[in-house]
Amino acid sequence: MPRSGQEARERLARAALELFLERGFDAVTAAEIAARAGVTERTYFRHFPDKREVLFDGERRLTEWVTEALASVPADVPLWPAMRRTVDLIVAPLEANRPDSDRLAAIVKATPALRERAASKEARLVSIITGLLVGRGASTDEAALVARTAWGVLAQAIEAWRAAPGTSLQVHVDRGFTLLTGLVGGAQGDPPR
Amino acid sequence: MPRSGQEARERLARAALELFLERGFDAVTAAEIAARAGVTERTYFRHFPDKREVLFDGERRLTEWVTEALASVPADVPLWPAMRRTVDLIVAPLEANRPDSDRLAAIVKATPALRERAASKEARLVSIITGLLVGRGASTDEAALVARTAWGVLAQAIEAWRAAPGTSLQVHVDRGFTLLTGLVGGAQGDPPR
DNA sequence: CCTAGTAGTGTCTGCAACTGACACTACGGA
DNA sequence: TCCGTAGTGTCAGTTGCAGACACTACTAGG
């Protein structure tokens, strides 16, 4: 293997994070990020497809966690319980990662262009999960619905977790699932036609 | 030349749609859209904040439909049933709008940059719905969860509906809600059907 | 130890998405 | 009839991104 490229990539990611924290996403140019990392703008774009993507490099790990978690659930567990266990399994890594992900979330929240990218990443993750569920034997419709719903619970839990420092993510997740079960499963009158 | 402003805006929207259909989003420049509409590029950017937004002008109507539909549900209807009725209420306008929205969906689906924008719009709509539900007296957590989940059902139904021409959206919506109830509310045991 | 291949980089060049500043023109109302 | 306003054109500038090509550090193979 030739000279480590991976190293430059990490310097770029760190430089970008610093600059975005210092001055905000919009006030930083790609050339400046590259300069701080000691490379050229062109090199930046060889490592990341655009200015935003540096920040979302960690999302790949999330995908891995989900994939592994779901794979670790026995195949005979029905869809929804399997998804629930999967969510439980990725709570730990998420909590371990909190300090970093909090800073990231702050930057993203403050920048529309980044929120857009984040929303897109979520959608992509949901569709990956859907694929995995289909691989477990679910119908496409079921899989998509379960993936969307479970992700919704987790996403909402994460949001509440960030809003309330010092709380445990697991608590929010549990609350979300029970809340959902109560709301949806409850026999309150909603006549289908 | 023209005076209305609104008129130019509509010409721009039509021109953009045509060009995107003819050559694809990426192969069209903002200047070309403007030219076909008989104005300058600068004028384009006075009507729309960026190249993508022309296509999403109609989303405002969706927001209105949702707002009105939810407002029309009596305040004493509990959260989830209220949401379910709201979804039912906007099925009609959605179906009436099918030909246009199908073409739009095709363009969006083919272009990553547009999918991103679409995902972002969905997120925004969900947060608007959350706000409305809070206005009805729900807690933030409940509201967010219900909004996310219900929108998930509708979004999934719309996708299935587009994939199966000739079917009725209402059918997919009904199926989605019953499926969800069965999965989430049902005893932890059995795969459906 | 030398040589050849390859991954990573710098440089140069160019397009297209936006943006600010300013001058102009049609219009509706006083 | 004149004036204020909203919509537009023009021009110049910044920045995100991409193709082409030459160069350099490193590694493997002889």
Side-chain angles (χ1 to χ4, degrees), chain A:
Chain A
M1 313 278 180
R3 114 166 142 266
S4 139
Q6 180 61 26
E7 189 189 328
R9 188 186 174 90
E10 281 156 18
R11 282 207 314 275
L12 280 166
R14 208 171 324 128
L17 195 68
E18 289 171 13
L19 284 168
F20 292 161
L21 281 172
E22 289 171 17
R23 319 212 299 259
F25 180 83
D26 293 324
V28 174
T29 95
E32 286 169 335
I33 300 173
R36 179 168 298 199
V39 295
T40 326
E41 187 188 8
R42 194 68 185 86
T43 292
Y44 172 93
F45 284 107
R46 286 198 180 97
H47 284 283
F48 302 98
D50 61 51
K51 186 184 161 190
R52 292 177 278 169
E53 196 65 17
V54 225
L55 291 175
F56 296 93
D57 218 22
E59 293 275 312
R60 275 179 314 169
R61 273 187 309 167
L62 179 54
T63 308
E64 289 169 15
W65 294 339
V66 172
T67 309
E68 288 164 16
L70 189 54
S72 80
V73 177
D76 59 345
V77 177
L79 221 52
W80 181 248
M83 238 359 254
R84 215 237 130 116
R85 276 200 220 173
T86 302
V87 169
D88 279 343
L89 282 170
I90 60 182
V91 161
L94 282 173
E95 290 201 325
N97 207 38
R98 171 148 209 187
D100 283 347
S101 70
D102 265 3
R103 285 192 308 167
L104 194 81
I107 301 179
V108 170
K109 192 175 180 183
T111 315
L114 294 176
R115 285 207 304 261
E116 237 178 275
R117 175 61 53 88
S120 167
K121 294 273 180 187
E122 288 191 23
R124 168 126 191 83
L125 184 53
V126 166
S127 97
I128 289 177
I129 297 175
T130 301
L132 293 172
L133 293 180
V134 169
R136 282 184 143 245
S139 79
T140 307
D141 280 353
E142 273 180 329
L145 198 60
V146 166
R148 274 192 146 106
T149 307
W151 175 261
V153 173
L154 179 56
Q156 178 53 31
I158 290 178
E159 210 171 294
W161 176 56
R162 287 203 201 290
T167 59
S168 139
L169 176 55
Q170 184 68 55
V171 168
H172 292 284
V173 167
D174 289 342
R175 191 178 305 161
F177 274 108
T178 26
L179 199 53
L180 182 67
T181 308
L183 285 166
V184 174
Q188 317 253 7
D190 53 325
R193 351 145 163 240

Side-chain angles (χ1 to χ4, degrees), chain B residues 66-114:
Chain B
V66 171
T67 309
E68 288 164 18
L70 190 53
S72 80
V73 177
D76 59 345
V77 178
L79 220 53
W80 181 249
M83 237 1 252
R84 213 235 131 120
R85 277 201 220 174
T86 302
V87 170
D88 279 342
L89 282 170
I90 60 182
V91 161
L94 282 172
E95 290 200 325
N97 207 38
R98 173 148 208 187
D100 282 346
S101 70
D102 265 2
R103 285 192 308 167
L104 194 80
I107 302 179
V108 171
K109 192 175 181 183
T111 314
L114 294 176

Side-chain angles (χ1 to χ4, degrees), chain B residues 92-168:
Chain B
L94 282 172
E95 290 200 325
N97 207 38
R98 173 148 208 187
D100 282 346
S101 70
D102 265 2
R103 285 192 308 167
L104 194 80
I107 302 179
V108 171
K109 192 175 181 183
T111 314
L114 294 176
R115 284 206 304 262
E116 238 179 270
R117 176 59 54 87
S120 167
K121 293 272 180 190
E122 288 192 23
R124 167 129 190 79
L125 185 54
V126 167
S127 96
I128 288 176
I129 298 175
T130 302
L132 293 172
L133 293 179
V134 168
R136 284 184 142 244
S139 78
T140 308
D141 280 353
E142 271 181 331
L145 198 60
V146 166
R148 273 193 148 105
T149 307
W151 175 260
V153 173
L154 178 56
Q156 178 54 29
I158 290 178
E159 211 172 295
W161 175 56
R162 288 204 201 289
T167 58
S168 138

Side-chain angles (χ1 to χ4, degrees), chain B residues 40-59:
Chain B
T40 325
E41 189 188 8
R42 194 69 185 82
T43 292
Y44 173 92
F45 285 108
R46 286 197 180 98
H47 284 283
F48 302 98
D50 60 53
K51 187 183 161 190
R52 292 176 279 168
E53 196 65 16
V54 226
L55 292 175
F56 295 93
D57 219 23
E59 293 274 313

